[in-house]
Amino acid sequence: MTDENPPRTPTLETEAIHGGLEPDPETGAVMTPIYASSTFAQNAPGEHQGYEYSRSGNPTRSALESNLAHLEGGEYGRAFASGLAAISTVLNLLESGDHVVVGNDVYGGTHRLFTDVYEDYDLEFDFVDTTSPTAVQKAIRPATELVWIETPTNPLLRIVDIEAMSELAHSEDALLAVDNTFATPVLQRPLSLGADIVAHSLTKYLGGHSDIIGGALLTDQSTLDEQLGFYQNSVGATLSPFDAFLVLRGIKTLPVRMERHTENAQAVATWLETHPAVETVYYPGLESHPQHELAARQMDGFGGMVGVELDYPIDIVESIVSETEVFTLAESLGGVESLIEQPATMTHATVPRAERLQAGVSDSLIRMSVGLEGLSDLKADLDQAIDAGS
C-alpha cells in the first residue's frame, strides 16, 4: 500500500497556460522568448544542441507546437505559415491517383486548394454531405486515402460525427483529418474521437487577436508526424518565431475567450430566431439545429460562429452587412472583435455558384463571428443594420 496519489490530469485551462512549456532555462523568463535567429551554432559539424536552422526547427515554434499538442491531447504538433499551408502539407502525404472524400460545406479556400491546385496533380476529390455516413460510404472507393471534414462546418455550422467518420475511414485504410478551427480544442478534441490528424487555422481563435496568419497540424502517431515534419521542412512554409510567440500569448486566454464567445453567440442566435427578417439561424446550440444532440454529445460548448439566412435577395443582404458598426465587415473569424460577412461574395466566392447552392450556401446567407463586445451592443447593431440595409 502506498500513500502516493495517482498522477492528476491537468485541466484544459491549466494546459493552455502551462502545457508543454517551461520557464526559459537560461534566464528564468516565464514567457517563451522569441528566438529571432535564422541559424544556430554547432559544436562540431552535424553536432548541434537541438537546432541548426530555423526552417527545420526553432525554439519558439517548438514551444508552440508542444503547447498545441497538449491542448489537443496528442503527442506531436507542427506549425505552419498559414492554415492552407497546413492543409497542403496533409495532401503532400498522397500520391497521384489517390482519392479524397471532402465535406461539401467547407471553407472556400480549402475547396479552391483541392480543386484548382491539387486536381492538376491527379488527385481526385468528391465533395459530399459528411453529416451523412451513408453519403460518405458511397463516395469511398479503393483509391480513397483521406477523408477531410470540418465540424462545425464553414459556413453552415453543420456537425459531423467524428467517431462515425473515423470508423468509416479506417475500415477502408484511409486517414481521417478534421479541421477543428471553429471549435478549438477547448470545445472539441478530435484525436480522442478517432481522428488521425487535426488541423487548425491559428489565425482564428487560437491566435485570437486578428494579428497573425498561421496554421497547425496535430497527431498522436509518430510515423505520421515524421512524414508531416519532412514536408514541413522540405517545403518550408513554417511559422515565424514572432508569430509563434503571439499565438502562445493568445492561447493563454483561449478557454476564457471561448466561454464568452459561446455565451454571446448563443444569445445572439436565440434572439435572431425570433427576428422577422430572419428565415433560418444556423447555430448548433439551438434545439432547432438538426445536429443539436450530436453537438451536445461531441462538444463541450457550441462556439462563437453563427450563420443566418435572411429573407432578402443578395443585393439587400450586401447592404445589410455593409451597415453594421460594431460588427466589422471582413473575412476571417475568431478574434476578440465581432466580424460579419457574406459567404457568396466573400469567403466562398471561388466556389462555383451551382455547387455552392447545392451545398446549401445561398446568396442570402451571412456568417458572423460573434466577439467579446457587450451583448446589448451586438443586438442593437444587427437590428439597425437590418433596418438600414433593407
Side-chain angles (χ1 to χ4, degrees), residues 171-201:
S171 69
E172 302 294 335
D173 294 323
L175 295 172
L176 174 67
V178 180
D179 187 329
N180 201 30
T181 297
F182 272 25
T184 82
V186 173
L187 305 182
Q188 180 174 267
R189 286 162 293 284
L191 293 177
S192 69
L193 299 173
D196 299 290
I197 300 170
V198 174
H200 283 284
S201 171

PDB file of all heavy atoms in Angstrom, residues 171-201:
ATOM      1  N   SER A 171     -11.991   1.778 -41.781  1.00  0.00           N
ATOM      2  CA  SER A 171     -12.422   0.500 -42.364  1.00  0.00           C
ATOM      3  C   SER A 171     -11.940   0.339 -43.796  1.00  0.00           C
ATOM      4  O   SER A 171     -11.859  -0.773 -44.324  1.00  0.00           O
ATOM      5  CB  SER A 171     -13.951   0.377 -42.319  1.00  0.00           C
ATOM      6  OG  SER A 171     -14.567   1.291 -43.218  1.00  0.00           O
ATOM      7  N   GLU A 172     -11.598   1.484 -44.430  1.00  0.00           N
ATOM      8  CA  GLU A 172     -11.094   1.477 -45.801  1.00  0.00           C
ATOM      9  C   GLU A 172      -9.605   1.835 -45.852  1.00  0.00           C
ATOM     10  O   GLU A 172      -9.089   2.192 -46.913  1.00  0.00           O
ATOM     11  CB  GLU A 172     -11.901   2.464 -46.654  1.00  0.00           C
ATOM     12  CG  GLU A 172     -13.396   2.197 -46.687  1.00  0.00           C
ATOM     13  CD  GLU A 172     -13.748   0.888 -47.382  1.00  0.00           C
ATOM     14  OE1 GLU A 172     -12.948   0.428 -48.223  1.00  0.00           O
ATOM     15  OE2 GLU A 172     -14.829   0.335 -47.084  1.00  0.00           O
ATOM     16  N   ASP A 173      -8.929   1.775 -44.703  1.00  0.00           N
ATOM     17  CA  ASP A 173      -7.497   2.097 -44.607  1.00  0.00           C
ATOM     18  C   ASP A 173      -7.182   3.517 -45.061  1.00  0.00           C
ATOM     19  O   ASP A 173      -6.114   3.781 -45.644  1.00  0.00           O
ATOM     20  CB  ASP A 173      -6.653   1.093 -45.395  1.00  0.00           C
ATOM     21  CG  ASP A 173      -6.716  -0.304 -44.796  1.00  0.00           C
ATOM     22  OD1 ASP A 173      -6.763  -0.408 -43.556  1.00  0.00           O
ATOM     23  OD2 ASP A 173      -6.733  -1.274 -45.572  1.00  0.00           O
ATOM     24  N   ALA A 174      -8.128   4.421 -44.829  1.00  0.00           N
ATOM     25  CA  ALA A 174      -7.917   5.836 -45.160  1.00  0.00           C
ATOM     26  C   ALA A 174      -7.697   6.631 -43.879  1.00  0.00           C
ATOM     27  O   ALA A 174      -8.098   6.220 -42.784  1.00  0.00           O
ATOM     28  CB  ALA A 174      -9.128   6.392 -45.918  1.00  0.00           C
ATOM     29  N   LEU A 175      -7.039   7.776 -44.009  1.00  0.00           N
ATOM     30  CA  LEU A 175      -6.845   8.682 -42.885  1.00  0.00           C
ATOM     31  C   LEU A 175      -8.061   9.576 -42.709  1.00  0.00           C
ATOM     32  O   LEU A 175      -8.737   9.931 -43.691  1.00  0.00           O
ATOM     33  CB  LEU A 175      -5.621   9.563 -43.117  1.00  0.00           C
ATOM     34  CG  LEU A 175      -4.245   8.892 -43.185  1.00  0.00           C
ATOM     35  CD1 LEU A 175      -3.198   9.918 -43.621  1.00  0.00           C
ATOM     36  CD2 LEU A 175      -3.874   8.284 -41.845  1.00  0.00           C
ATOM     37  N   LEU A 176      -8.333   9.953 -41.466  1.00  0.00           N
ATOM     38  CA  LEU A 176      -9.348  10.967 -41.196  1.00  0.00           C
ATOM     39  C   LEU A 176      -8.661  12.219 -40.668  1.00  0.00           C
ATOM     40  O   LEU A 176      -7.952  12.181 -39.661  1.00  0.00           O
ATOM     41  CB  LEU A 176     -10.359  10.477 -40.151  1.00  0.00           C
ATOM     42  CG  LEU A 176     -11.380  11.547 -39.715  1.00  0.00           C
ATOM     43  CD1 LEU A 176     -12.308  11.913 -40.882  1.00  0.00           C
ATOM     44  CD2 LEU A 176     -12.183  11.098 -38.504  1.00  0.00           C
ATOM     45  N   ALA A 177      -8.874  13.338 -41.374  1.00  0.00           N
ATOM     46  CA  ALA A 177      -8.365  14.639 -40.942  1.00  0.00           C
ATOM     47  C   ALA A 177      -9.547  15.534 -40.597  1.00  0.00           C
ATOM     48  O   ALA A 177     -10.525  15.586 -41.345  1.00  0.00           O
ATOM     49  CB  ALA A 177      -7.510  15.283 -42.028  1.00  0.00           C
ATOM     50  N   VAL A 178      -9.452  16.220 -39.475  1.00  0.00           N
ATOM     51  CA  VAL A 178     -10.539  17.082 -39.000  1.00  0.00           C
ATOM     52  C   VAL A 178     -10.025  18.504 -38.846  1.00  0.00           C
ATOM     53  O   VAL A 178      -9.076  18.749 -38.091  1.00  0.00           O
ATOM     54  CB  VAL A 178     -11.100  16.581 -37.650  1.00  0.00           C
ATOM     55  CG1 VAL A 178     -12.235  17.490 -37.185  1.00  0.00           C
ATOM     56  CG2 VAL A 178     -11.587  15.146 -37.755  1.00  0.00           C
ATOM     57  N   ASP A 179     -10.655  19.433 -39.548  1.00  0.00           N
ATOM     58  CA  ASP A 179     -10.373  20.847 -39.348  1.00  0.00           C
ATOM     59  C   ASP A 179     -11.167  21.287 -38.125  1.00  0.00           C
ATOM     60  O   ASP A 179     -12.398  21.361 -38.151  1.00  0.00           O
ATOM     61  CB  ASP A 179     -10.784  21.651 -40.586  1.00  0.00           C
ATOM     62  CG  ASP A 179     -10.351  23.112 -40.503  1.00  0.00           C
ATOM     63  OD1 ASP A 179     -10.288  23.641 -39.376  1.00  0.00           O
ATOM     64  OD2 ASP A 179     -10.097  23.715 -41.557  1.00  0.00           O
ATOM     65  N   ASN A 180     -10.454  21.586 -37.039  1.00  0.00           N
ATOM     66  CA  ASN A 180     -11.072  21.895 -35.750  1.00  0.00           C
ATOM     67  C   ASN A 180     -11.065  23.391 -35.457  1.00  0.00           C
ATOM     68  O   ASN A 180     -11.212  23.806 -34.306  1.00  0.00           O
ATOM     69  CB  ASN A 180     -10.316  21.139 -34.638  1.00  0.00           C
ATOM     70  CG  ASN A 180     -11.126  20.962 -33.371  1.00  0.00           C
ATOM     71  OD1 ASN A 180     -12.341  20.865 -33.410  1.00  0.00           O
ATOM     72  ND2 ASN A 180     -10.450  20.918 -32.240  1.00  0.00           N
ATOM     73  N   THR A 181     -10.915  24.211 -36.502  1.00  0.00           N
ATOM     74  CA  THR A 181     -10.754  25.646 -36.323  1.00  0.00           C
ATOM     75  C   THR A 181     -11.938  26.284 -35.613  1.00  0.00           C
ATOM     76  O   THR A 181     -11.760  27.087 -34.695  1.00  0.00           O
ATOM     77  CB  THR A 181     -10.524  26.336 -37.681  1.00  0.00           C
ATOM     78  OG1 THR A 181      -9.301  25.857 -38.247  1.00  0.00           O
ATOM     79  CG2 THR A 181     -10.446  27.840 -37.535  1.00  0.00           C
ATOM     80  N   PHE A 182     -13.164  25.959 -36.019  1.00  0.00           N
ATOM     81  CA  PHE A 182     -14.341  26.598 -35.435  1.00  0.00           C
ATOM     82  C   PHE A 182     -14.525  26.213 -33.972  1.00  0.00           C
ATOM     83  O   PHE A 182     -14.981  27.020 -33.162  1.00  0.00           O
ATOM     84  CB  PHE A 182     -15.596  26.212 -36.226  1.00  0.00           C
ATOM     85  CG  PHE A 182     -15.902  27.109 -37.394  1.00  0.00           C
ATOM     86  CD1 PHE A 182     -14.917  27.840 -38.022  1.00  0.00           C
ATOM     87  CD2 PHE A 182     -17.192  27.216 -37.885  1.00  0.00           C
ATOM     88  CE1 PHE A 182     -15.199  28.659 -39.105  1.00  0.00           C
ATOM     89  CE2 PHE A 182     -17.500  28.033 -38.964  1.00  0.00           C
ATOM     90  CZ  PHE A 182     -16.497  28.765 -39.578  1.00  0.00           C
ATOM     91  N   ALA A 183     -14.212  24.970 -33.615  1.00  0.00           N
ATOM     92  CA  ALA A 183     -14.477  24.504 -32.252  1.00  0.00           C
ATOM     93  C   ALA A 183     -13.334  24.829 -31.302  1.00  0.00           C
ATOM     94  O   ALA A 183     -13.562  25.181 -30.147  1.00  0.00           O
ATOM     95  CB  ALA A 183     -14.739  23.001 -32.256  1.00  0.00           C
ATOM     96  N   THR A 184     -12.099  24.690 -31.767  1.00  0.00           N
ATOM     97  CA  THR A 184     -10.892  24.778 -30.956  1.00  0.00           C
ATOM     98  C   THR A 184     -10.833  23.594 -29.996  1.00  0.00           C
ATOM     99  O   THR A 184     -11.858  22.976 -29.693  1.00  0.00           O
ATOM    100  CB  THR A 184     -10.773  26.097 -30.134  1.00  0.00           C
ATOM    101  OG1 THR A 184     -11.539  25.989 -28.930  1.00  0.00           O
ATOM    102  CG2 THR A 184     -11.195  27.298 -30.941  1.00  0.00           C
ATOM    103  N   PRO A 185      -9.646  23.287 -29.461  1.00  0.00           N
ATOM    104  CA  PRO A 185      -9.548  22.185 -28.506  1.00  0.00           C
ATOM    105  C   PRO A 185     -10.278  22.443 -27.194  1.00  0.00           C
ATOM    106  O   PRO A 185     -10.486  21.516 -26.412  1.00  0.00           O
ATOM    107  CB  PRO A 185      -8.035  22.035 -28.281  1.00  0.00           C
ATOM    108  CG  PRO A 185      -7.422  23.289 -28.777  1.00  0.00           C
ATOM    109  CD  PRO A 185      -8.320  23.811 -29.839  1.00  0.00           C
ATOM    110  N   VAL A 186     -10.679  23.681 -26.946  1.00  0.00           N
ATOM    111  CA  VAL A 186     -11.476  23.953 -25.747  1.00  0.00           C
ATOM    112  C   VAL A 186     -12.838  23.262 -25.831  1.00  0.00           C
ATOM    113  O   VAL A 186     -13.353  22.748 -24.838  1.00  0.00           O
ATOM    114  CB  VAL A 186     -11.661  25.478 -25.559  1.00  0.00           C
ATOM    115  CG1 VAL A 186     -12.631  25.782 -24.428  1.00  0.00           C
ATOM    116  CG2 VAL A 186     -10.323  26.138 -25.282  1.00  0.00           C
ATOM    117  N   LEU A 187     -13.406  23.214 -27.020  1.00  0.00           N
ATOM    118  CA  LEU A 187     -14.753  22.678 -27.188  1.00  0.00           C
ATOM    119  C   LEU A 187     -14.781  21.283 -27.802  1.00  0.00           C
ATOM    120  O   LEU A 187     -15.809  20.595 -27.711  1.00  0.00           O
ATOM    121  CB  LEU A 187     -15.581  23.617 -28.077  1.00  0.00           C
ATOM    122  CG  LEU A 187     -15.660  25.083 -27.624  1.00  0.00           C
ATOM    123  CD1 LEU A 187     -16.541  25.888 -28.573  1.00  0.00           C
ATOM    124  CD2 LEU A 187     -16.172  25.191 -26.195  1.00  0.00           C
ATOM    125  N   GLN A 188     -13.699  20.843 -28.430  1.00  0.00           N
ATOM    126  CA  GLN A 188     -13.731  19.559 -29.142  1.00  0.00           C
ATOM    127  C   GLN A 188     -12.306  19.060 -29.377  1.00  0.00           C
ATOM    128  O   GLN A 188     -11.444  19.835 -29.792  1.00  0.00           O
ATOM    129  CB  GLN A 188     -14.435  19.774 -30.485  1.00  0.00           C
ATOM    130  CG  GLN A 188     -14.563  18.584 -31.375  1.00  0.00           C
ATOM    131  CD  GLN A 188     -15.412  18.921 -32.589  1.00  0.00           C
ATOM    132  OE1 GLN A 188     -16.612  18.716 -32.583  1.00  0.00           O
ATOM    133  NE2 GLN A 188     -14.801  19.489 -33.613  1.00  0.00           N
ATOM    134  N   ARG A 189     -12.088  17.773 -29.118  1.00  0.00           N
ATOM    135  CA  ARG A 189     -10.762  17.190 -29.310  1.00  0.00           C
ATOM    136  C   ARG A 189     -10.877  15.948 -30.189  1.00  0.00           C
ATOM    137  O   ARG A 189     -11.078  14.824 -29.704  1.00  0.00           O
ATOM    138  CB  ARG A 189     -10.126  16.880 -27.949  1.00  0.00           C
ATOM    139  CG  ARG A 189      -9.669  18.144 -27.239  1.00  0.00           C
ATOM    140  CD  ARG A 189      -9.435  17.978 -25.781  1.00  0.00           C
ATOM    141  NE  ARG A 189     -10.648  17.708 -25.018  1.00  0.00           N
ATOM    142  CZ  ARG A 189     -11.562  18.614 -24.701  1.00  0.00           C
ATOM    143  NH1 ARG A 189     -11.413  19.871 -25.083  1.00  0.00           N
ATOM    144  NH2 ARG A 189     -12.628  18.272 -24.012  1.00  0.00           N
ATOM    145  N   PRO A 190     -10.743  16.132 -31.504  1.00  0.00           N
ATOM    146  CA  PRO A 190     -10.990  15.051 -32.461  1.00  0.00           C
ATOM    147  C   PRO A 190     -10.076  13.836 -32.320  1.00  0.00           C
ATOM    148  O   PRO A 190     -10.484  12.725 -32.663  1.00  0.00           O
ATOM    149  CB  PRO A 190     -10.796  15.735 -33.825  1.00  0.00           C
ATOM    150  CG  PRO A 190     -11.110  17.169 -33.569  1.00  0.00           C
ATOM    151  CD  PRO A 190     -10.565  17.424 -32.207  1.00  0.00           C
ATOM    152  N   LEU A 191      -8.840  14.014 -31.849  1.00  0.00           N
ATOM    153  CA  LEU A 191      -7.953  12.862 -31.715  1.00  0.00           C
ATOM    154  C   LEU A 191      -8.546  11.836 -30.752  1.00  0.00           C
ATOM    155  O   LEU A 191      -8.409  10.623 -30.956  1.00  0.00           O
ATOM    156  CB  LEU A 191      -6.567  13.296 -31.231  1.00  0.00           C
ATOM    157  CG  LEU A 191      -5.734  14.139 -32.198  1.00  0.00           C
ATOM    158  CD1 LEU A 191      -4.419  14.558 -31.540  1.00  0.00           C
ATOM    159  CD2 LEU A 191      -5.457  13.401 -33.494  1.00  0.00           C
ATOM    160  N   SER A 192      -9.220  12.299 -29.724  1.00  0.00           N
ATOM    161  CA  SER A 192      -9.830  11.380 -28.762  1.00  0.00           C
ATOM    162  C   SER A 192     -11.041  10.656 -29.338  1.00  0.00           C
ATOM    163  O   SER A 192     -11.512   9.666 -28.768  1.00  0.00           O
ATOM    164  CB  SER A 192     -10.244  12.138 -27.496  1.00  0.00           C
ATOM    165  OG  SER A 192     -11.325  13.022 -27.758  1.00  0.00           O
ATOM    166  N   LEU A 193     -11.532  11.149 -30.473  1.00  0.00           N
ATOM    167  CA  LEU A 193     -12.693  10.545 -31.133  1.00  0.00           C
ATOM    168  C   LEU A 193     -12.288   9.723 -32.357  1.00  0.00           C
ATOM    169  O   LEU A 193     -13.152   9.277 -33.108  1.00  0.00           O
ATOM    170  CB  LEU A 193     -13.684  11.640 -31.538  1.00  0.00           C
ATOM    171  CG  LEU A 193     -14.261  12.466 -30.375  1.00  0.00           C
ATOM    172  CD1 LEU A 193     -15.088  13.634 -30.895  1.00  0.00           C
ATOM    173  CD2 LEU A 193     -15.104  11.597 -29.450  1.00  0.00           C
ATOM    174  N   GLY A 194     -10.982   9.540 -32.558  1.00  0.00           N
ATOM    175  CA  GLY A 194     -10.526   8.650 -33.619  1.00  0.00           C
ATOM    176  C   GLY A 194      -9.877   9.308 -34.809  1.00  0.00           C
ATOM    177  O   GLY A 194      -9.441   8.616 -35.734  1.00  0.00           O
ATOM    178  N   ALA A 195      -9.782  10.636 -34.820  1.00  0.00           N
ATOM    179  CA  ALA A 195      -9.144  11.320 -35.951  1.00  0.00           C
ATOM    180  C   ALA A 195      -7.644  11.027 -35.962  1.00  0.00           C
ATOM    181  O   ALA A 195      -7.023  10.833 -34.917  1.00  0.00           O
ATOM    182  CB  ALA A 195      -9.381  12.824 -35.872  1.00  0.00           C
ATOM    183  N   ASP A 196      -7.063  11.002 -37.154  1.00  0.00           N
ATOM    184  CA  ASP A 196      -5.626  10.806 -37.304  1.00  0.00           C
ATOM    185  C   ASP A 196      -4.864  12.125 -37.272  1.00  0.00           C
ATOM    186  O   ASP A 196      -3.758  12.205 -36.752  1.00  0.00           O
ATOM    187  CB  ASP A 196      -5.331  10.091 -38.631  1.00  0.00           C
ATOM    188  CG  ASP A 196      -5.978   8.721 -38.690  1.00  0.00           C
ATOM    189  OD1 ASP A 196      -5.535   7.823 -37.954  1.00  0.00           O
ATOM    190  OD2 ASP A 196      -6.948   8.561 -39.460  1.00  0.00           O
ATOM    191  N   ILE A 197      -5.471  13.156 -37.861  1.00  0.00           N
ATOM    192  CA  ILE A 197      -4.840  14.477 -37.949  1.00  0.00           C
ATOM    193  C   ILE A 197      -5.877  15.528 -37.585  1.00  0.00           C
ATOM    194  O   ILE A 197      -7.033  15.448 -38.017  1.00  0.00           O
ATOM    195  CB  ILE A 197      -4.313  14.756 -39.371  1.00  0.00           C
ATOM    196  CG1 ILE A 197      -3.268  13.709 -39.783  1.00  0.00           C
ATOM    197  CG2 ILE A 197      -3.723  16.159 -39.476  1.00  0.00           C
ATOM    198  CD1 ILE A 197      -2.882  13.784 -41.255  1.00  0.00           C
ATOM    199  N   VAL A 198      -5.467  16.512 -36.807  1.00  0.00           N
ATOM    200  CA  VAL A 198      -6.303  17.679 -36.526  1.00  0.00           C
ATOM    201  C   VAL A 198      -5.621  18.898 -37.127  1.00  0.00           C
ATOM    202  O   VAL A 198      -4.410  19.093 -36.947  1.00  0.00           O
ATOM    203  CB  VAL A 198      -6.511  17.880 -35.020  1.00  0.00           C
ATOM    204  CG1 VAL A 198      -7.268  19.178 -34.750  1.00  0.00           C
ATOM    205  CG2 VAL A 198      -7.268  16.701 -34.420  1.00  0.00           C
ATOM    206  N   ALA A 199      -6.382  19.686 -37.851  1.00  0.00           N
ATOM    207  CA  ALA A 199      -5.862  20.901 -38.481  1.00  0.00           C
ATOM    208  C   ALA A 199      -6.478  22.133 -37.833  1.00  0.00           C
ATOM    209  O   ALA A 199      -7.642  22.107 -37.396  1.00  0.00           O
ATOM    210  CB  ALA A 199      -6.154  20.900 -39.980  1.00  0.00           C
ATOM    211  N   HIS A 200      -5.695  23.198 -37.768  1.00  0.00           N
ATOM    212  CA  HIS A 200      -6.177  24.485 -37.263  1.00  0.00           C
ATOM    213  C   HIS A 200      -5.664  25.609 -38.128  1.00  0.00           C
ATOM    214  O   HIS A 200      -4.525  25.574 -38.596  1.00  0.00           O
ATOM    215  CB  HIS A 200      -5.672  24.743 -35.838  1.00  0.00           C
ATOM    216  CG  HIS A 200      -6.386  23.995 -34.776  1.00  0.00           C
ATOM    217  ND1 HIS A 200      -7.638  24.341 -34.320  1.00  0.00           N
ATOM    218  CD2 HIS A 200      -6.004  22.904 -34.059  1.00  0.00           C
ATOM    219  CE1 HIS A 200      -7.997  23.493 -33.370  1.00  0.00           C
ATOM    220  NE2 HIS A 200      -7.032  22.607 -33.202  1.00  0.00           N
ATOM    221  N   SER A 201      -6.511  26.620 -38.285  1.00  0.00           N
ATOM    222  CA  SER A 201      -6.013  27.923 -38.700  1.00  0.00           C
ATOM    223  C   SER A 201      -5.695  28.670 -37.410  1.00  0.00           C
ATOM    224  O   SER A 201      -6.602  29.059 -36.671  1.00  0.00           O
ATOM    225  CB  SER A 201      -7.059  28.677 -39.523  1.00  0.00           C
ATOM    226  OG  SER A 201      -6.630  30.005 -39.731  1.00  0.00           O
TER     227      SER A 201
END
